[in-house]
Amino acid sequence: MLYRKLYSFDYEEARDVPEAISLLQTHGTEAAVMAGGIGLIEEMKRRAVTPKVVVSLQPIDQLKFLDVSDGNLRIGALSKLSHGEQSNVVKEGFPALWEAIAQISSAQVRNMGTIVGNITACNPGSDVATALVALDASVKIADGNGGKCIPIKSFGVHSRKNILKPGEIVTEIIVPCLAPGAQTAFLNLARTKEDCAKVVVAVNARVTEGVIEDIKIALGAVAPTIVRATTVETMLLGEKPSEGLIQAASERASQENMVTPISDIRSTSQYRSQMVSVLTRRALTRVFQNHMN
Ligand SMILES: Cc1cc2nc3c(=O)[nH]c(=O)nc-3n(C[C@H](O)[C@H](O)[C@H](O)COP(=O)(O)OP(=O)(O)OC[C@H]3O[C@@H](n4cnc5c(N)ncnc54)[C@H](O)[C@@H]3O)c2cc1C
């Protein structure tokens, strides 16, 4: 990749969330928010984005938290990927999220990048975001006007484009604790450990008295945003897990309307489609393994 020199821009540090919003509202579309900066600065070097003002959230200590309260994991906007990786609460209570974070090969990325920055960048191949969609997370947004909370599956509108308007920031991600007995799986496929994934699959399922009572299947890198395999979910709900059911569901996954993979340097669209089925079968086998005879 050809990197150009970083151009001159104004740099502002916000001391709290209202000041961040005020700065962003003042500068409108000419401003960009920065958390860890590893995604933003790289995009500025490539001129993919060219903000005149960068508003850093780094001094805002209130955004540095990662804890469980009231049945939810709360991830503050300045929680780094490494905080998630080092957290036993995440490792034991949210294994799909932990696996998605821990497999990011570069320690520099985990130490600099934030979990929220990963989500706001809206990379359709994001491992972390795919896990969070399967976990049915929500995104809390501050807008200087009371704020709002929206499901993460509605946050990305297109590749690299989220629903935030100028003057809005994400303050935290809220992940409901898994229901008793729920099992999760996270799988991805990449050319090398360092490369972006060709396909990502995350599953969150609960079987009660032998029947699938709840299931969420998230697919990454196969559409302009991360998608839920809703047809497959409907097909599985209320059924008893079996090898035949898993096979049929996995084949259906690659035929979901929303699954429209592209061909690029990492893979052809046909191969991505095939791998959606393969990874979905492996993920479903993992979450249902204790419920099949
Ligand atoms: C070499 C490399 C390898 C990577 N490997 C993986 C991988 O294997 N799997 C994976 O899932 N990801 C991977 N990533 C992505 C990485 O996780 C993200 O780039 C990182 O987490 C972004 O966090 P940040 O704090 O640096 O965000 P920043 O660079 O500060 O921001 C990223 C974007 O989000 C916006 N933003 C940041 N915070 C907020 C906020 N609070 N509110 C509103 N907008 C905000 C910024 O304006 C910018 O557009 C990789 C990245 C790199 C550079």
Side-chain angles (χ1 to χ4, degrees), residues 32-40 57 77 81 103-104 109 112-114 116-118 120-121 126-128 164 168-170:
V33 192
M34 187 174 88
I38 58 169
L40 180 67
L57 305 178
L81 292 157
Q103 59 82 49
I104 295 176
V109 171
M112 293 280 295
T114 58
V116 167
N118 181 300
T120 45
S126 160
D127 299 298
V128 178
L164 294 178
E168 296 184 342
I169 63 165
V170 173

Side-chain angles (χ1 to χ4, degrees), residues 39-91:
L40 180 67
I41 297 298
E42 186 267 337
E43 290 208 317
M44 287 169 66
K45 282 183 176 173
R46 282 194 291 119
R47 310 295 193 271
V49 293
T50 51
K52 291 190 175 146
V53 184
V54 169
V55 177
S56 173
L57 305 178
Q58 278 301 332
I60 310 180
D61 286 341
Q62 299 96 303
L63 296 177
K64 294 174 185 162
F65 60 86
L66 188 150
D67 55 36
V68 168
S69 64
D70 297 332
N72 295 301
L73 175 68
R74 296 173 59 240
I75 303 169
L78 289 179
S79 235
K80 295 182 178 196
L81 292 157
S82 57
H83 295 145
E85 183 198 9
Q86 287 154 15
S87 158
N88 279 336
V89 168
V90 176
K91 188 172 184 179

Side-chain angles (χ1 to χ4, degrees), residues 5-26:
K5 259 176 68 180
L6 196 53
Y7 62 92
S8 293
F9 58 91
D10 289 338
Y11 176 79
E12 305 259 18
E13 288 193 335
R15 281 160 301 178
D16 54 27
V17 171
E19 188 177 23
I21 289 171
S22 166
L23 283 165
L24 290 166
Q25 285 173 346
T26 302

Side-chain angles (χ1 to χ4, degrees), residues 13-14 37 55 85 142 171 225 247 251 265 278:
E13 288 193 335
V55 177
E85 183 198 9
T171 51
T225 61
Q247 184 63 33
E251 285 167 16
I265 53 162
V278 171

